[in-house]
Amino acid sequence: MNLTEFDELLACSEGNSSPLFLKLQAKHFMTVEDDDLAIELLATKLRTRKAYLTSFTTLHMMVITARCNCVCDYCHASSIDPEKQDVDMTWDVAKKTIDMIFQAPAPSIKIEFQGGEPLLNWEIVKESILYARFVNRFAKRKLGFVICTNIIALTPEIVNFCKKNEIDLSTSLDGPRDLHDGHRKSRDGRSSYDCFKKNLGAARLGLGYEGCSALLTITRDHLQRLPEVIDHYVEMGFTGVFLRALNPYGYAVANYSNIGYTPEEFVVAFSKALDYIVELNLAGTPFVEYYTALLLQRVLTPFSTGFVDLQSPSGAGISGVIYDYNGEIYPADEARMLARMGDKKFLMGNVMTDSYEQVFDGPVIRDLAYNSCVETMPGCATCAYQLYCGADPIRYYVEKGDVVGSRPDSGFCKKNKRILDYIFTILDQGDERIINLFWAWATRRSLSEVTLESC
Amino acid sequence: MKVVKGIPNNIGGTIIGRITKSLTPICFSSGVILATPHVPKWVIGFVALITTATSTATIPSVSCLVSNDFDGLCEGDIVRLGVDGTVQILWEARSFQNVLYLNDHCNSACIMCPQKVEGSLEKYHSVMTKVLSLVSASKQVAHVGITGGEPTLFLENLIDILNTCRDRFPNAGISLLTNGKTLADFNTAERIALANPNILFCIPLYAPTSREHDEIVGSSGSFDLTMKGFYNLVRLQRPVEIRIVLLQQNYRRLSDLAEYIYRNLPFASHIALMGMECSGVASDNLARVWVDPITYQQELYECVLEYHRRSMNVSIYNLPFCLLPKDIWRFARNSISEWKKAYLPQCEQCIKREECPGIFSTSVRQSSFINPIVT
């Protein structure tokens, strides 16, 4: 809308029938007096967007051990040497954790095994899965499992077990060999890339391509080489990538000067990489950038999206929760990492001593929910992108010492605002082929399902 | 509905019956009408006779029917004979498009209504009840359309018909054509929804604002009531189809309407974009409502694309291929009732003639751009 149009709109009396007014009325930007229906529809739209709240905690992460056979320079979790077995989750803690998980009212429950490297404490992973399945025979939830692993310690026995129990593997790939090995260092000095490649083949044989996803962590080294990384993902048979920025936790803090970058630098690289991915798709290679896909779902569709890290109120504790190896419960991975760095501010309780109500209706989760609604937070409340965004109170706390924080100059805000700017620029340019692709991503279909051209 | 005419004999009042063409001259089930080219000597047990010959029978009959019209009558069809010799086909045994007309009253006054609702006191309900009772029990009925007028206006009659359909044809899908306004009352919506589990509610929405929609339906407050009706149906977990007639007043608004529907009614199971039937009120208002479909090709293309991108199930009704951009041909459906469907002489040369949805023979105005597709 230009200024003249805006002035004309303001000058119009009630009962306006100008095309612009009607367009804005249809989108519920403007209304005539006493429009009860508009209020009802807006309420429904808001309820639809916030539908993720009704099921409460769906994602339950269990830190099976803090030990790891790798020392990645960006490790958020500050992994511990494999020899120190006192950082393993014991069966007592695992059992109590699963008992607590099934007290959540969510109709669908996903249990994610994390670390450290969970395969180093495989017996507990296995027993936990078997026990959870047993409990679910009565609880009858839609139950899923994911193991987050570097797959170095993968064995045929583990693959078979995963296949039998329909367990997905979420692993990590940082690009071509030099980049991967440069950042994902195995403790024994062998190439973690070679090991990854070999074991990925074995895992895919058992679990199929859909059963093994990979996560990319972007360091300073990656910024200039993202197209190469993307090519590598395609070559390895992955159908998408999440272009994820580093978070300021764990080893990433100490190594920041080597691996870190500014949000502005990240978004420049992100935008170029997104262009590259778009071109790949238009040239016939289906490949999704998952963060863009998530944001597009929010921009283009009226539906709720279940991404824990970008919700309002924050998904911390409400959508996802993490159980540390010692039974301590935190609202998010970052809160657990913060605890490892010495600050237990977000400790919600312990599975060994506290009840479900004490933990999930306690002061930590209430405080987080109250202080993480972007609709009411200063700065966010008037942001045009508020509808698509969310709060990250734990990160604000880490950066500013306060869960509300000061967002306009936070890296989180700068990154998201600029990425959304870029997505809107592309939408605004109106290249029909790209808009078709974006709709395909937003509705999780292939490009050919979205286009109209008769074959 | 389709009507043919012959010469009446001994018809004192309207007669409704099921047609048989079987030559057995004696019939013991009630309500059966014998249709035969050769009148047998004895006709016993039939309520009436339809023939192409001249009739000398003593029972009520319609005779001297043109053989083309006679051939159009099929075993199991249900017809109404009028005192003037008309044969009205109320139910076609071979059709999947049978429609029950429940009344001719309406609480809207759409400027492009293809009917003229007169609010007559005719006993539609008893006629339709009779039709349903006559439908051969051995026939598998797959689908029943229910319309009016506005079929929900006489609620008890509608509930009765829906119950009858549920009991007699438990597997038949029911398309209930309603403007949805009475469904703004939750109890009404609930009673209808519970009367038959197989109802697809087919409800029109012509524009994305009350001002525009209400102007088209000729009744203020309609938009709000219809929207509330939609919401009550989704609360009742019933499927809804949204019907959008394309006319002068809304063709520029189709893409905004698509976005409105996606944002506010994403649960709609089907969206039908419908070419206008220029009869009844629409024919009276032709100068006001008419737009040649060739004019809105681009708007139609764009809005089909918008629905398709949003993964919404969209169809185009009542428009021939030659008026549609090729890329959206695959959304065109064979939607016009067989008895109303027509083609123009030039259509004979068209290579798409066999699959083409055709045009309304009932329309007083046709597009000037109906041309055979030759390549």
Side-chain angles (χ1 to χ4, degrees):
Chain A
M1 198 191 304
N2 61 38
L3 199 59
T4 325
E5 286 173 323
F6 185 67
D7 286 339
E8 270 169 24
L9 203 62
L10 287 183
C12 283
S13 56
E14 187 219 334
N16 191 318
S17 61
S18 77
L20 185 61
F21 181 89
L22 292 172
K23 208 176 180 71
L24 292 170
Q25 192 188 355
K27 289 177 186 289
H28 294 136
F29 281 99
M30 305 213 52
T31 182
V32 292
E33 257 178 79
D34 296 331
D35 196 343
D36 294 345
L37 178 69
I39 292 169
E40 209 175 302
L41 295 178
L42 281 166
T44 306
K45 286 202 245 188
L46 183 63
R47 215 165 24 238
T48 307
R49 287 224 170 251
K50 303 286 182 191
Y52 73 96
L53 291 172
T54 54
S55 51
F56 211 57
T57 324
T58 301
L59 176 67
H60 297 264
M61 295 168 276
M62 291 171 70
V63 179
I64 291 299
T65 175
R67 294 184 291 142
C68 191
N69 44 11
C70 279
V71 258
C72 306
D73 54 8
Y74 51 67
C75 181
H76 298 168
S78 312
S79 72
I80 289 169
D81 191 280
E83 304 309 316
K84 294 192 172 166
Q85 302 216 352
D86 56 344
V87 291
D88 281 6
M89 188 178 267
T90 61
W91 168 240
D92 275 354
V93 171
K95 183 175 178 296
K96 286 271 190 196
T97 301
I98 287 158
D99 288 339
M100 184 163 289
I101 289 172
F102 277 94
Q103 289 190 57
S108 99
I109 283 178
K110 179 161 274 181
I111 302 179
E112 201 175 279
F113 299 99
Q114 289 213 2
E117 170 50 48
L119 298 191
L120 298 187
N121 192 11
W122 170 245
E123 280 309 307
I124 294 297
V125 176
K126 194 168 124 185
E127 291 306 318
S128 299
I129 290 167
L130 294 173
Y131 181 63
R133 290 180 73 106
F134 168 75
V135 174
N136 199 43
R137 277 159 64 180
F138 308 100
K140 297 204 188 309
R141 312 293 176 81
K142 187 174 169 285
L143 181 60
F145 301 99
V146 180
I147 303 174
C148 300
T149 167
N150 58 32
I151 64 174
I152 289 174
L154 198 70
T155 64
E157 181 226 331
I158 295 174
V159 174
N160 281 337
F161 182 85
C162 291
K163 185 180 176 183
K164 200 174 149 204
N165 290 284
E166 293 173 356
I167 295 154
D168 290 334
L169 299 183
S170 170
T171 179
S172 298
L173 172 62
D174 279 359
R177 193 166 192 255
D178 65 310
L179 273 177
H180 191 92
D181 283 344
H183 295 282
R184 302 188 59 80
K185 295 191 177 73
S186 66
R187 289 196 193 253
D188 64 8
R190 284 187 303 173
S191 161
S192 66
Y193 178 85
D194 290 349
C195 197
F196 169 84
K197 201 168 174 180
K198 181 173 130 263
N199 285 346
L200 179 69
R204 280 173 165 173
L205 266 180
L207 309 175
Y209 276 59
E210 323 75 54
C212 315
S213 60
L215 207 55
L216 169 68
T217 303
I218 297 176
T219 67
R220 166 164 288 283
D221 287 346
H222 290 82
L223 286 187
Q224 302 303 322
R225 296 177 62 185
L226 285 177
E228 202 187 325
V229 173
I230 291 158
D231 283 344
H232 199 70
Y233 264 71
V234 173
E235 212 173 285
M236 297 275 270
F238 290 105
T239 52
V241 71
F242 192 136
L243 296 177
R244 197 171 56 121
L246 272 183
N247 284 323
Y249 306 101
Y251 296 160
V253 179
N255 294 330
Y256 187 81
S257 56
N258 292 328
I259 62 174
Y261 40 77
T262 66
E264 289 84 353
E265 287 172 314
F266 174 76
V267 176
V268 168
F270 179 95
S271 307
K272 282 186 188 155
L274 180 58
D275 287 346
Y276 186 78
I277 292 172
V278 166
E279 284 308 318
L280 266 183
N281 280 278
L282 297 184
T285 305
F287 194 80
V288 183
E289 199 291 296
Y290 295 118
Y291 195 57
T292 307
L294 167 83
L295 293 173
L296 285 170
Q297 251 179 299
R298 295 187 175 187
V299 172
L300 299 175
T301 88
F303 305 116
S304 172
T305 40
F307 184 67
V308 180
D309 296 343
L310 199 68
Q311 299 288 21
S312 167
S314 149
I318 295 176
S319 298
V321 66
I322 188 159
Y323 306 85
D324 211 349
Y325 66 90
N326 54 10
E328 288 177 351
I329 305 165
Y330 294 97
D333 210 7
E334 291 78 7
R336 180 246 322 195
M337 294 161 189
L338 190 66
R340 197 133 312 152
M341 289 154 79
D343 185 346
K344 291 198 173 182
K345 177 178 166 71
F346 297 108
L347 177 63
M348 293 161 74
N350 194 304
V351 293
M352 303 306 283
T353 51
D354 299 308
S355 73
Y356 179 81
E357 288 73 19
Q358 282 169 326
V359 174
F360 285 91
D361 197 15
V364 172
I365 196 167
R366 278 177 178 273
D367 190 45
L368 281 173
Y370 278 132
N371 290 301
S372 64
C373 294
V374 289
E375 289 83 354
T376 62
M377 292 166 76
C380 294
T382 52
C383 177
Y385 293 144
Q386 182 217 96
L387 199 59
Y388 318 124
C389 203
D392 193 347
I394 294 160
R395 171 136 180 201
Y396 301 148
Y397 175 78
V398 170
E399 289 179 344
K400 301 281 173 186
D402 176 273
V403 287
V404 176
S406 161
R407 286 155 318 286
D409 59 355
S410 81
F412 176 86
C413 176
K414 283 180 183 165
K415 185 192 85 179
N416 282 318
K417 228 192 297 193
R418 281 173 170 76
I419 289 177
L420 278 161
D421 277 343
Y422 191 63
I423 291 174
F424 273 94
T425 307
I426 298 176
L427 286 171
D428 222 28
Q429 284 163 352
D431 181 330
E432 291 293 316
R433 297 169 315 154
I434 300 179
I435 291 181
N436 279 337
L437 176 68
F438 277 11
W439 273 107
W441 286 2
T443 55
R444 298 169 193 223
R445 290 177 298 164
S446 71
L447 185 54
S448 64
E449 283 174 278
V450 174
T451 46
L452 279 184
E453 281 73 37
S454 42
C455 333
Chain B
M1 62 201 83
K2 191 172 167 184
V3 182
V4 297
K5 200 162 188 284
I7 297 169
N9 303 91
N10 304 327
I11 302 181
T14 57
I15 297 166
I16 297 173
R18 182 174 74 234
I19 285 185
T20 180
K21 287 191 166 180
S22 120
L23 286 173
T24 316
I26 300 172
C27 178
F28 295 107
S29 59
S30 63
V32 179
I33 295 173
L34 178 66
T36 172
H38 313 289
V39 184
K41 207 164 184 184
W42 300 100
V43 186
I44 299 168
F46 295 98
V47 291
L49 176 74
I50 300 174
T51 180
T52 47
T54 49
S55 168
T56 52
T58 52
I59 62 165
S61 65
V62 173
S63 59
C64 301
L65 218 62
V66 181
S67 63
N68 231 356
D69 289 344
F70 180 84
D71 292 342
L73 300 172
C74 297
E75 186 76 27
D77 283 359
I78 293 160
V79 297
R80 174 160 63 179
L81 310 184
V83 289
D84 56 352
T86 49
V87 179
Q88 215 177 8
I89 302 166
L90 300 174
W91 182 279
E92 292 181 75
R94 291 189 309 183
S95 169
F96 292 107
Q97 302 174 322
N98 282 304
V99 172
L100 305 175
Y101 294 85
L102 294 202
N103 66 64
D104 64 356
H105 293 251
C106 193
N107 52 356
S108 285
C110 300
I111 57 176
M112 70 315 186
C113 180
Q115 295 169 270
K116 280 197 178 163
V117 289
E118 280 150 353
S120 70
L121 295 172
E122 208 193 313
K123 305 248 176 300
Y124 282 88
H125 179 63
S126 54
V127 172
M128 293 305 147
T129 309
K130 177 105 195 214
V131 168
L132 285 180
S133 73
L134 286 169
V135 173
S136 171
S138 62
K139 282 277 176 197
Q140 190 72 34
V141 175
H143 181 257
V144 180
I146 295 180
T147 185
E150 167 53 44
T152 64
L153 285 185
F154 301 94
L155 188 59
E156 299 312 318
N157 290 348
L158 174 64
I159 299 282
D160 181 50
I161 294 283
L162 288 171
N163 283 330
T164 307
C165 288
R166 178 197 61 201
D167 297 340
R168 290 218 52 204
F169 325 119
N171 298 319
I174 311 283
S175 292
L176 178 62
L177 274 60
T178 166
N179 59 36
K181 282 153 72 172
T182 62
L183 307 177
D185 174 54
F186 184 78
N187 291 328
T188 304
E190 187 177 35
R191 283 197 63 199
I192 295 171
L194 295 179
N196 190 308
N198 303 328
I199 306 172
L200 172 67
F201 292 82
C202 307
I203 301 178
L205 196 70
Y206 300 123
T209 62
S210 54
R211 167 182 286 269
E212 300 161 283
H213 176 86
D214 289 357
E215 187 201 322
I216 294 169
V217 303
S219 157
S220 69
S222 294
F223 182 81
D224 290 15
L225 289 172
T226 297
M227 285 301 293
K228 284 178 184 158
F230 277 123
Y231 273 71
N232 282 335
L233 291 172
V234 75
R235 272 175 72 192
L236 290 159
Q237 300 184 313
R238 288 300 189 269
V240 297
E241 170 179 289
I242 299 176
R243 297 194 157 200
I244 303 162
V245 174
L246 310 169
L247 69 162
Q248 178 66 41
Q249 277 70 14
N250 71 353
Y251 78 86
R252 292 180 195 85
R253 302 285 286 137
L254 297 177
S255 286
D256 279 353
L257 180 56
E259 174 70 1
Y260 182 87
I261 288 172
Y262 184 57
R263 292 280 172 178
N264 297 286
L265 307 166
F267 46 81
S269 60
H270 184 215
I271 316 290
L273 298 155
M274 304 167 70
M276 185 170 45
E277 181 181 4
C278 302
S279 61
V281 178
S283 115
D284 295 347
N285 289 337
L286 201 62
R288 186 175 169 202
V289 300
W290 169 257
V291 54
D292 194 307
I294 207 84
T295 317
Y296 58 63
Q297 272 200 336
Q298 185 60 26
E299 285 83 355
L300 186 60
Y301 171 87
E302 279 166 15
C303 96
V304 167
L305 176 61
E306 295 304 337
Y307 286 113
H308 190 60
R309 280 174 168 166
R310 287 161 177 75
S311 202
M312 297 193 86
N313 181 17
V314 61
S315 297
I316 300 168
Y317 283 2
N318 315 341
L319 290 171
F321 286 132
C322 54
L323 299 178
L324 301 176
K326 197 171 182 181
D327 286 344
I328 57 173
W329 281 2
R330 60 182 159 124
F331 298 94
R333 306 281 175 261
N334 189 7
S335 51
I336 302 178
S337 308
E338 282 307 315
W339 68 273
K340 280 192 201 177
K341 185 155 81 170
Y343 299 90
L344 296 181
Q346 63 264 39
C347 298
E348 289 311 314
Q349 295 143 40
C350 178
I351 55 166
K352 297 291 284 182
R353 164 73 173 72
E354 289 308 308
E355 309 141 62
C356 183
I359 55 172
F360 282 111
S361 61
T362 44
S363 277
V364 296
R365 175 92 178 252
Q366 304 292 355
S367 166
S368 328
F369 297 86
I370 297 175
N371 288 312
I373 294 158
V374 286
T375 49

